[in-house]
Amino acid sequence: ESWKPSVDVILFRGDSDGKRFIEVNQNLTLTMQPTETGSLTIDGYGSKIRTTYTPIRASKGSTINIYDGVIIKEFYCTTNGGVMYLDGGTINIHGGIFYHNTAGATGGFISCTNGDFNVYDGVFVNNVSTTGGGVFTLKYVSSSGKVNFTGGVFANNETSRDGGVIWLQSGTLNASNVVIYGNTAKTNGGVISITSGNIVLENSLIYDNIATNNGGMAYIAGGNFTMNSGYLGLESDDLKMIVQINKVVRESRQLMQK
């Protein structure tokens, strides 16, 4: 199924007795791709509607594609994955804005246990988790899943525990050409916390992230972390890029106020 609105469309989550908002079953594909004249906003209605089921689930053999013009905001799941749960399917994010989503446990935006998760672009801002992974929690139960980021901005996300952006409990994440700044972990790993598994990061800009205890950038309790190239901190050569990033975040905040 394809959702391709040519006008501005807003979907509000109703009170569904705690059940899922969208479930994509085996061998099915859901594509969210507004035209140039349209947009698609999916509004979880904030903390007014809380659910124990992750709102959007990609089951084994299914595919979810998300493109520019999509906004997913204000979802609240009391367990893992504030918005999405990946369990054997494939999720491809080519663009969009994802903000003010909350998980009562891990993964303010998504919790992954199996399957392929690809981020090519998009803005992830002000997502929150309670027990780890302000944006993503990756805990693969098999070695078959692949996680790749080749773009994206991750800003002002927060967790009350480890991993302001990513908490890797197992699996492998390859990331390049990403911008990560202003994220916070109330314990360890302002950006990344690794319990087990591998992260390779290259050609990325990372600055102004905070951990209350250890590792403003990364906390490695186990596994491996490799950074091949990129920028840590704030250097004069990065100012042009930072101005562009701040423009994106300002625009995101303006959308939040609507």
Side-chain angles (χ1 to χ4, degrees):
E1 183 172 347
S2 295
W3 297 354
K4 297 185 176 183
S6 58
V7 295
D8 295 335
V9 175
I10 301 176
L11 300 179
F12 287 98
R13 180 190 177 97
D15 188 352
S16 56
D17 297 324
K19 301 301 182 182
R20 297 194 198 282
F21 185 61
I22 299 171
E23 180 145 10
V24 184
N25 292 319
Q26 189 172 6
N27 299 323
L28 296 177
T29 297
L30 171 63
T31 297
M32 305 179 197
Q33 188 177 16
T35 67
E36 291 183 1
T37 59
S39 67
L40 174 62
T41 299
I42 303 177
D43 191 334
Y45 218 64
S47 60
K48 295 179 179 66
I49 299 177
R50 301 187 180 194
T51 176
T52 56
Y53 289 84
T54 305
I56 302 173
R57 181 182 182 223
S59 302
K60 183 178 179 180
S62 68
T63 301
I64 296 176
N65 300 308
I66 299 175
Y67 290 84
D68 276 335
V70 174
I71 300 169
I72 300 179
K73 64 174 185 174
E74 302 288 354
F75 278 91
Y76 195 115
C77 178
T78 60
T79 56
N80 299 313
V83 175
M84 290 185 163
Y85 177 51
L86 178 60
D87 183 24
T90 299
I91 296 176
N92 301 309
I93 296 181
H94 299 268
I97 298 174
F98 314 95
Y99 69 88
H100 273 179
N101 300 294
T102 302
T106 66
F109 177 74
I110 188 169
S111 178
C112 305
T113 58
N114 200 2
D116 296 338
F117 181 50
N118 303 300
V119 176
Y120 303 101
D121 201 355
V123 177
F124 300 80
V125 61
N126 289 118
N127 299 287
V128 177
S129 76
T130 300
T131 60
V135 182
F136 309 105
T137 296
L138 311 176
K139 186 178 181 180
Y140 276 174
V141 296
S142 73
S143 60
S144 60
K146 299 176 182 177
V147 183
N148 297 291
F149 299 170
T150 56
V153 175
F154 306 90
N156 301 332
N157 302 289
E158 181 179 307
T159 181
S160 298
R161 289 185 60 185
D162 291 357
V165 177
I166 300 163
W167 184 21
L168 181 66
Q169 296 175 275
S170 61
T172 298
L173 165 65
N174 294 298
S176 62
N177 302 308
V178 296
V179 177
I180 304 173
Y181 78 101
N183 303 284
T184 302
K186 295 293 181 65
T187 53
N188 304 309
V191 176
I192 295 165
S193 178
I194 306 175
T195 304
S196 178
N198 302 282
I199 292 180
V200 178
L201 181 63
E202 59 185 4
N203 195 32
S204 297
L205 174 62
I206 302 169
Y207 77 100
D208 201 22
N209 301 285
I210 299 170
T212 302
N213 292 344
N214 302 300
M217 193 304 200
Y219 179 73
I220 298 95
N224 300 285
F225 173 65
T226 303
M227 187 166 183
N228 292 326
S229 61
Y231 300 97
L232 296 176
L234 181 60
E235 300 177 5
S236 59
D237 290 342
D238 302 325
L239 290 177
K240 182 177 179 181
M241 184 181 293
I242 291 168
V243 169
Q244 294 172 341
I245 298 162
N246 287 336
K247 179 175 181 292
V248 171
V249 174
R250 283 197 304 272
E251 290 172 350
S252 301
R253 287 174 175 166
Q254 289 170 359
L255 285 169
M256 294 177 202
Q257 295 170 357
K258 290 184 178 180

